Amino acid sequence: MKRCFDIVFSAAVIAVAFVPSLILCAAIAIESPGCPLYRQKRVGRIGADGQPREFTMWKFRSMVKGADKMKDALLAENEVEGPMFKMKDDPRVTRIGRFIRKHSIDEFPQFLNVLVGDMSVVGPRPPLPREVAQYDEWAMQRLAVKPGLTGPWQVGGRSDVDFDDMVRLDLGYIARRSVAMDLKIILQTITVVFTGKGAA
């Protein structure tokens, strides 16, 4: 049932957002030359062999071209405890990028990931491989299910939540997940998208 919902819901969002997405892509490219879409290796659920599976996740580009190469110089400015990197006034973020990040619009291309089965609409957010390399056994449990486009971290505070609290939220979701809970998180996500609450 969850997979059927993922397919129908993501296909509907892609159809509705297709033309606005083209306009946004043009605006991103005009402000900051380069491909308006950004792809990044992320870690999904743990496979049958016990190893985390990687996949390519898509976003609207919210930073200047080459932002990944600039990250090492900013690590000392990390504002979150643990393996994650978050910086409120990240100098790599463009003007359009600040807006689409605040309202989570940069995540919309991930509906393609949901459609092909890399992700689910609701689940723990997919981490970077270098973050997973720092996980202990407790944190690895959040990789027990398919990652989501939105999840308890997205509606529970986003950048206001530190790493340990994010893991607790994810493990709580995994233990109690249901169709009703997924629908509740989706409705809460819509509110977060409009308000931008908790965005970095």
Side-chain angles (χ1 to χ4, degrees):
M1 184 180 292
K2 187 176 176 70
R3 179 61 187 145
C4 288
F5 175 81
D6 285 345
I7 292 171
V8 173
F9 189 78
S10 58
V13 172
I14 290 169
V16 170
F18 182 72
V19 172
S21 294
L22 292 179
I23 296 171
L24 177 57
C25 283
I28 291 170
I30 290 171
E31 180 183 7
S32 176
C35 180
L37 291 175
Y38 172 73
R39 61 181 183 179
Q40 190 177 55
K41 285 293 181 183
R42 293 287 180 126
V43 177
R45 69 185 302 175
I46 295 175
D49 58 359
Q51 298 299 314
R53 300 286 177 82
E54 292 187 6
F55 67 98
T56 301
M57 189 183 79
W58 293 91
K59 286 187 173 190
F60 288 122
R61 183 167 57 84
S62 61
M63 296 185 175
V64 296
K65 187 177 180 180
D68 285 341
K69 297 177 181 177
M70 302 163 61
K71 186 173 182 178
D72 288 343
L74 298 171
L75 290 177
E77 306 297 327
N78 190 11
E79 299 170 358
V80 180
E81 294 283 343
M84 292 192 302
F85 176 83
K86 292 291 178 182
M87 184 178 176
K88 187 174 183 179
D89 296 315
D90 194 323
R92 301 172 298 167
V93 180
T94 63
R95 285 178 298 175
I96 291 175
R98 290 190 189 94
F99 177 81
I100 63 175
R101 284 163 69 97
K102 179 177 180 179
H103 297 283
S104 296
I105 296 170
D106 60 323
E107 312 284 3
F108 271 45
Q110 288 159 44
F111 280 108
L112 294 171
N113 289 116
V114 174
L115 188 63
V116 302
D118 293 328
M119 298 172 62
S120 181
V121 174
V122 181
R125 286 295 295 161
L128 293 163
R130 63 174 173 268
E131 293 172 348
V132 174
Q134 301 177 57
Y135 278 13
D136 56 18
E137 291 184 7
W138 177 66
M140 286 293 287
Q141 294 179 82
R142 68 185 300 271
L143 304 181
V145 299
K146 189 179 291 186
L149 193 153
T150 187
W153 178 74
Q154 294 289 95
V155 300
R158 298 164 78 186
S159 294
D160 295 332
V161 176
D162 65 19
F163 178 75
D164 285 351
D165 285 337
M166 180 193 72
V167 175
R168 290 188 187 97
L169 287 170
D170 287 338
L171 297 187
Y173 166 78
I174 292 170
R176 301 188 303 272
R177 66 192 186 279
S178 65
V179 173
M181 180 177 285
D182 281 4
L183 292 175
K184 180 180 179 181
I185 290 175
I186 289 170
L187 291 174
Q188 290 175 326
T189 301
I190 293 171
T191 300
V192 170
V193 166
F194 281 105
T195 63
K197 183 180 178 181

